């Protein structure tokens, strides 16, 4: 059974950093495109960062230069290093994977649609000013 589990969220002050982790089990991890997404109260879910099986990455303009997505295939783990956090980054952060059968690369997985993805339960990130 496929399972996606995020961790690492928390509360920080503006300018601080957090690293989110996502562990996936139940499939051949390194064949999938992976991504981080977020949803703030009253707002639509948005793509934050994505990485595909070839290692190419894509970022939302709002986090470019501040966030870094990476993965350790041997550990089936995806990371999101978040630096220079600001209150606008406050949201529930989700990790999601999509099967290679749907032919997503990092750019297309960042934009969606995401209905074919395998989602975790999310981890809350709160940034105070």
């Amino acid at each position: 059974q496929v399972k996606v589990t995020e961790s690492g969220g928390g509360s920080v002050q503006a300018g601080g950093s957090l690293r989110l982790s996502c562990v996936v089990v139940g499939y051949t991890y390194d064949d999938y495109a992976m991504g981080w997404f977020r949803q703030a109260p009253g707002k639509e879910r948005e793509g934050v960062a994505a990485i595909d099986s070839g290692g190419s990455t894509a970022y939302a303009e709002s986090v470019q230069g501040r966030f870094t997505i990476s993965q350790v295939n041997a550990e089936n783990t995806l990371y999101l290093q978040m630096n220079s956090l600001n209150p606008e980054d406050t949201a529930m952060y989700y990790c999601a994977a999509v099967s290679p059968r749907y032919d997503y690369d990092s750019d297309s997985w960042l934009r969606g649609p995401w209905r074919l993805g395998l989602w975790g339960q999310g981890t809350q990130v709160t940034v105070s000013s």
Side-chain angles (χ1 to χ4, degrees), residues 65-96:
R66 300 188 298 123
F67 291 10
T68 303
I69 189 171
S70 62
Q71 60 188 2
V72 179
N73 290 343
E75 298 176 356
N76 282 12
T77 303
L78 180 75
Y79 297 100
L80 184 68
Q81 178 66 43
M82 306 186 294
N83 299 327
S84 302
L85 285 161
N86 60 60
E88 289 70 38
D89 296 316
T90 294
M92 184 71 79
Y93 283 70
Y94 299 90
C95 171

Short mmCIF file of all heavy atoms in Angstrom, two decimals, residues 65-96:
data_model
loop_
_atom_site.label_atom_id
_atom_site.label_comp_id
_atom_site.label_asym_id
_atom_site.label_seq_id
_atom_site.Cartn_x
_atom_site.Cartn_y
_atom_site.Cartn_z
N GLY A 65 14.66 30.95 -5.04
CA GLY A 65 15.80 31.52 -4.34
C GLY A 65 15.75 31.38 -2.84
O GLY A 65 16.76 31.61 -2.16
N ARG A 66 14.61 31.00 -2.30
CA ARG A 66 14.47 30.82 -0.84
C ARG A 66 14.27 29.36 -0.46
O ARG A 66 14.72 28.93 0.60
CB ARG A 66 13.28 31.63 -0.31
CG ARG A 66 13.38 33.12 -0.54
CD ARG A 66 12.25 33.87 0.18
NE ARG A 66 10.93 33.51 -0.30
CZ ARG A 66 9.96 33.03 0.48
NH1 ARG A 66 10.16 32.84 1.77
NH2 ARG A 66 8.77 32.75 -0.04
N PHE A 67 13.58 28.61 -1.30
CA PHE A 67 13.27 27.21 -1.03
C PHE A 67 14.10 26.33 -1.96
O PHE A 67 14.36 26.68 -3.11
CB PHE A 67 11.80 26.92 -1.27
CG PHE A 67 10.84 27.55 -0.29
CD1 PHE A 67 11.26 28.51 0.62
CD2 PHE A 67 9.51 27.18 -0.28
CE1 PHE A 67 10.38 29.08 1.51
CE2 PHE A 67 8.60 27.74 0.60
CZ PHE A 67 9.04 28.70 1.50
N THR A 68 14.46 25.13 -1.44
CA THR A 68 15.18 24.16 -2.24
C THR A 68 14.57 22.78 -2.05
O THR A 68 14.45 22.32 -0.91
CB THR A 68 16.66 24.11 -1.86
OG1 THR A 68 17.24 25.41 -2.01
CG2 THR A 68 17.41 23.12 -2.75
N ILE A 69 14.20 22.16 -3.15
CA ILE A 69 13.67 20.80 -3.09
C ILE A 69 14.80 19.83 -3.41
O ILE A 69 15.65 20.10 -4.27
CB ILE A 69 12.49 20.61 -4.08
CG1 ILE A 69 11.80 19.28 -3.87
CG2 ILE A 69 12.94 20.79 -5.53
CD1 ILE A 69 10.49 19.13 -4.65
N SER A 70 14.82 18.71 -2.70
CA SER A 70 15.85 17.71 -2.94
C SER A 70 15.29 16.35 -2.53
O SER A 70 14.26 16.26 -1.88
CB SER A 70 17.13 18.02 -2.17
OG SER A 70 16.89 18.01 -0.78
N GLN A 71 16.01 15.30 -2.92
CA GLN A 71 15.55 13.96 -2.56
C GLN A 71 16.72 13.03 -2.37
O GLN A 71 17.78 13.23 -2.96
CB GLN A 71 14.59 13.41 -3.62
CG GLN A 71 15.20 13.28 -5.00
CD GLN A 71 14.15 12.91 -6.05
OE1 GLN A 71 12.96 12.78 -5.75
NE2 GLN A 71 14.60 12.70 -7.27
N VAL A 72 16.50 12.05 -1.53
CA VAL A 72 17.47 10.98 -1.33
C VAL A 72 16.75 9.69 -1.70
O VAL A 72 15.97 9.14 -0.92
CB VAL A 72 17.98 10.94 0.11
CG1 VAL A 72 18.98 9.80 0.27
CG2 VAL A 72 18.65 12.27 0.47
N ASN A 73 17.00 9.23 -2.92
CA ASN A 73 16.25 8.07 -3.42
C ASN A 73 16.46 6.84 -2.54
O ASN A 73 15.53 6.06 -2.31
CB ASN A 73 16.65 7.77 -4.86
CG ASN A 73 16.16 8.82 -5.83
OD1 ASN A 73 15.27 9.60 -5.50
ND2 ASN A 73 16.75 8.85 -7.00
N ALA A 74 17.66 6.65 -2.06
CA ALA A 74 17.94 5.47 -1.25
C ALA A 74 17.12 5.45 0.04
O ALA A 74 16.91 4.39 0.63
CB ALA A 74 19.43 5.40 -0.92
N GLU A 75 16.67 6.62 0.46
CA GLU A 75 15.87 6.73 1.68
C GLU A 75 14.39 6.95 1.38
O GLU A 75 13.60 7.14 2.30
CB GLU A 75 16.41 7.86 2.54
CG GLU A 75 17.84 7.66 3.00
CD GLU A 75 18.38 8.85 3.77
OE1 GLU A 75 17.66 9.88 3.89
OE2 GLU A 75 19.52 8.77 4.25
N ASN A 76 14.03 6.97 0.09
CA ASN A 76 12.65 7.26 -0.30
C ASN A 76 12.15 8.55 0.36
O ASN A 76 10.99 8.61 0.82
CB ASN A 76 11.72 6.10 0.08
CG ASN A 76 11.83 4.95 -0.89
OD1 ASN A 76 12.74 4.91 -1.72
ND2 ASN A 76 10.91 4.02 -0.80
N THR A 77 12.99 9.55 0.40
CA THR A 77 12.67 10.76 1.14
C THR A 77 12.85 11.99 0.26
O THR A 77 13.85 12.14 -0.44
CB THR A 77 13.53 10.89 2.39
OG1 THR A 77 13.35 9.73 3.20
CG2 THR A 77 13.14 12.12 3.20
N LEU A 78 11.87 12.87 0.36
CA LEU A 78 11.87 14.16 -0.31
C LEU A 78 12.00 15.24 0.74
O LEU A 78 11.41 15.13 1.82
CB LEU A 78 10.57 14.34 -1.09
CG LEU A 78 10.38 15.63 -1.87
CD1 LEU A 78 11.23 15.59 -3.15
CD2 LEU A 78 8.91 15.83 -2.22
N TYR A 79 12.77 16.29 0.43
CA TYR A 79 12.96 17.38 1.38
C TYR A 79 12.56 18.72 0.75
O TYR A 79 12.58 18.88 -0.48
CB TYR A 79 14.43 17.48 1.80
CG TYR A 79 14.94 16.26 2.53
CD1 TYR A 79 15.69 15.30 1.86
CD2 TYR A 79 14.67 16.08 3.88
CE1 TYR A 79 16.16 14.18 2.53
CE2 TYR A 79 15.14 14.97 4.56
CZ TYR A 79 15.89 14.01 3.87
OH TYR A 79 16.34 12.92 4.54
N LEU A 80 12.21 19.65 1.62
CA LEU A 80 12.03 21.04 1.21
C LEU A 80 12.71 21.92 2.24
O LEU A 80 12.24 22.04 3.37
CB LEU A 80 10.55 21.41 1.09
CG LEU A 80 10.30 22.82 0.55
CD1 LEU A 80 10.72 22.93 -0.91
CD2 LEU A 80 8.82 23.22 0.71
N GLN A 81 13.84 22.49 1.86
CA GLN A 81 14.53 23.44 2.72
C GLN A 81 13.95 24.82 2.47
O GLN A 81 13.98 25.30 1.33
CB GLN A 81 16.03 23.43 2.42
CG GLN A 81 16.83 24.43 3.24
CD GLN A 81 16.83 24.10 4.73
OE1 GLN A 81 16.99 22.94 5.12
NE2 GLN A 81 16.64 25.11 5.57
N MET A 82 13.45 25.43 3.52
CA MET A 82 12.79 26.73 3.40
C MET A 82 13.56 27.76 4.22
O MET A 82 13.65 27.63 5.44
CB MET A 82 11.34 26.65 3.88
CG MET A 82 10.54 25.56 3.19
SD MET A 82 8.80 25.59 3.65
CE MET A 82 8.90 25.17 5.38
N ASN A 83 14.11 28.74 3.54
CA ASN A 83 14.86 29.81 4.19
C ASN A 83 14.16 31.15 3.99
O ASN A 83 13.29 31.28 3.12
CB ASN A 83 16.28 29.88 3.62
CG ASN A 83 17.07 28.61 3.84
OD1 ASN A 83 16.90 27.92 4.84
ND2 ASN A 83 17.94 28.30 2.90
N SER A 84 14.55 32.11 4.79
CA SER A 84 13.98 33.47 4.69
C SER A 84 12.45 33.44 4.66
O SER A 84 11.81 34.09 3.83
CB SER A 84 14.52 34.17 3.43
OG SER A 84 15.92 34.25 3.46
N LEU A 85 11.90 32.69 5.57
CA LEU A 85 10.44 32.55 5.61
C LEU A 85 9.78 33.87 5.97
O LEU A 85 10.33 34.68 6.73
CB LEU A 85 10.06 31.47 6.62
CG LEU A 85 10.31 30.03 6.14
CD1 LEU A 85 10.35 29.08 7.33
CD2 LEU A 85 9.24 29.62 5.15
N ASN A 86 8.62 34.08 5.41
CA ASN A 86 7.82 35.27 5.72
C ASN A 86 6.39 34.84 6.01
O ASN A 86 5.99 33.70 5.73
CB ASN A 86 7.92 36.29 4.59
CG ASN A 86 7.41 35.75 3.28
OD1 ASN A 86 6.26 35.37 3.17
ND2 ASN A 86 8.30 35.73 2.27
N PRO A 87 5.60 35.72 6.61
CA PRO A 87 4.24 35.33 7.00
C PRO A 87 3.39 34.81 5.84
O PRO A 87 2.48 34.01 6.07
CB PRO A 87 3.67 36.62 7.59
CG PRO A 87 4.86 37.32 8.15
CD PRO A 87 5.96 37.04 7.16
N GLU A 88 3.68 35.24 4.62
CA GLU A 88 2.92 34.77 3.46
C GLU A 88 3.18 33.29 3.16
O GLU A 88 2.45 32.68 2.37
CB GLU A 88 3.24 35.61 2.23
CG GLU A 88 2.70 37.05 2.26
CD GLU A 88 3.42 37.91 3.28
OE1 GLU A 88 4.66 37.76 3.42
OE2 GLU A 88 2.75 38.73 3.94
N ASP A 89 4.19 32.73 3.78
CA ASP A 89 4.48 31.30 3.61
C ASP A 89 3.66 30.43 4.55
O ASP A 89 3.73 29.20 4.46
CB ASP A 89 5.96 31.03 3.84
CG ASP A 89 6.85 31.71 2.82
OD1 ASP A 89 6.53 31.67 1.62
OD2 ASP A 89 7.89 32.28 3.24
N THR A 90 2.91 31.03 5.44
CA THR A 90 2.09 30.27 6.38
C THR A 90 1.03 29.49 5.62
O THR A 90 0.25 30.05 4.84
CB THR A 90 1.43 31.22 7.38
OG1 THR A 90 2.44 31.83 8.19
CG2 THR A 90 0.45 30.47 8.26
N ALA A 91 1.00 28.17 5.85
CA ALA A 91 0.06 27.30 5.13
C ALA A 91 0.23 25.88 5.62
O ALA A 91 1.19 25.56 6.34
CB ALA A 91 0.32 27.36 3.62
N MET A 92 -0.68 25.02 5.20
CA MET A 92 -0.47 23.58 5.33
C MET A 92 0.31 23.15 4.10
O MET A 92 -0.08 23.45 2.97
CB MET A 92 -1.81 22.86 5.40
CG MET A 92 -1.68 21.37 5.63
SD MET A 92 -1.13 21.00 7.31
CE MET A 92 -2.68 21.21 8.19
N TYR A 93 1.40 22.44 4.35
CA TYR A 93 2.26 21.97 3.27
C TYR A 93 2.04 20.48 3.05
O TYR A 93 2.06 19.69 4.00
CB TYR A 93 3.72 22.26 3.58
CG TYR A 93 4.09 23.71 3.38
CD1 TYR A 93 3.61 24.70 4.23
CD2 TYR A 93 4.90 24.09 2.31
CE1 TYR A 93 3.94 26.04 4.02
CE2 TYR A 93 5.24 25.42 2.11
CZ TYR A 93 4.75 26.39 2.96
OH TYR A 93 5.08 27.70 2.75
N TYR A 94 1.88 20.13 1.78
CA TYR A 94 1.63 18.75 1.40
C TYR A 94 2.70 18.26 0.44
O TYR A 94 3.20 19.00 -0.39
CB TYR A 94 0.28 18.63 0.69
CG TYR A 94 -0.92 19.04 1.51
CD1 TYR A 94 -1.37 20.35 1.50
CD2 TYR A 94 -1.60 18.11 2.28
CE1 TYR A 94 -2.47 20.74 2.24
CE2 TYR A 94 -2.71 18.48 3.03
CZ TYR A 94 -3.14 19.79 3.01
OH TYR A 94 -4.23 20.16 3.74
N CYS A 95 2.98 16.99 0.58
CA CYS A 95 3.85 16.29 -0.35
C CYS A 95 2.97 15.43 -1.24
O CYS A 95 2.00 14.83 -0.76
CB CYS A 95 4.84 15.43 0.45
SG CYS A 95 5.85 14.30 -0.50
N ALA A 96 3.30 15.35 -2.51
CA ALA A 96 2.51 14.52 -3.42
C ALA A 96 3.41 13.92 -4.50
O ALA A 96 4.34 14.57 -4.98
CB ALA A 96 1.38 15.31 -4.05
#
